[in-house]
Amino acid sequence: MLKFSIHYSLHFIFPLLISLIFFNSKWKKVYLIFLLSMLVDLDHLLANPIFQENRCSINFHPLHSYIAIGIYFVGLFFSKTRILAIALLFHMLTDLIDCYL
């Protein structure tokens, strides 16, 4: 239950706090981008089995691979993709933390 609570608070509550603190004037748009970044989890549908409790997503699923994370990192350097890149990298960090819980 603790792992579940930590994981989903990092996916929903912390992005809200990040949006409110760092992007106050456009927090709703930024929070929506953070929520939409969870669409990268659609790559879990390619796995067999789709859900495995103790499987680490990082470098297992295509959109959670080191190559994909590198592409998300490059997105930080462009103003048009920066918020999405932050959201995707925070998602990857959340999933990485989940690997150690």
Side-chain angles (χ1 to χ4, degrees), residues 3-55:
K3 182 178 179 176
F4 177 87
S5 298
I6 292 171
H7 183 80
Y8 286 102
S9 68
L10 287 171
H11 273 314
F12 291 99
I13 296 170
F14 275 79
L16 177 60
L17 294 174
I18 290 169
S19 301
L20 288 168
I21 293 168
F22 296 106
F23 302 96
N24 195 322
S25 64
K26 54 182 179 177
W27 74 269
K28 289 179 186 177
K29 179 181 176 183
V30 172
Y31 185 56
L32 180 62
I33 292 169
F34 267 85
L35 293 179
L36 290 173
S37 75
M38 286 189 257
L39 289 172
V40 298
D41 282 339
L42 288 173
D43 66 354
H44 292 233
L45 297 174
L46 300 172
N48 187 10
I50 291 173
F51 176 76
Q52 190 174 13
E53 186 174 346
N54 292 320
R55 178 170 53 214

Side-chain angles (χ1 to χ4, degrees), residues 39-89:
L39 289 172
V40 298
D41 282 339
L42 288 173
D43 66 354
H44 292 233
L45 297 174
L46 300 172
N48 187 10
I50 291 173
F51 176 76
Q52 190 174 13
E53 186 174 346
N54 292 320
R55 178 170 53 214
C56 181
S57 297
I58 302 301
N59 213 36
F60 184 84
H61 303 291
L63 297 176
H64 292 70
S65 69
Y66 296 137
I67 293 169
I69 292 168
I71 293 168
Y72 306 152
F73 183 77
V74 170
L76 293 172
F77 298 100
F78 303 97
S79 60
K80 290 188 177 196
T81 58
R82 188 168 296 134
I83 293 172
L84 178 59
I86 292 168
L88 289 167
L89 289 170

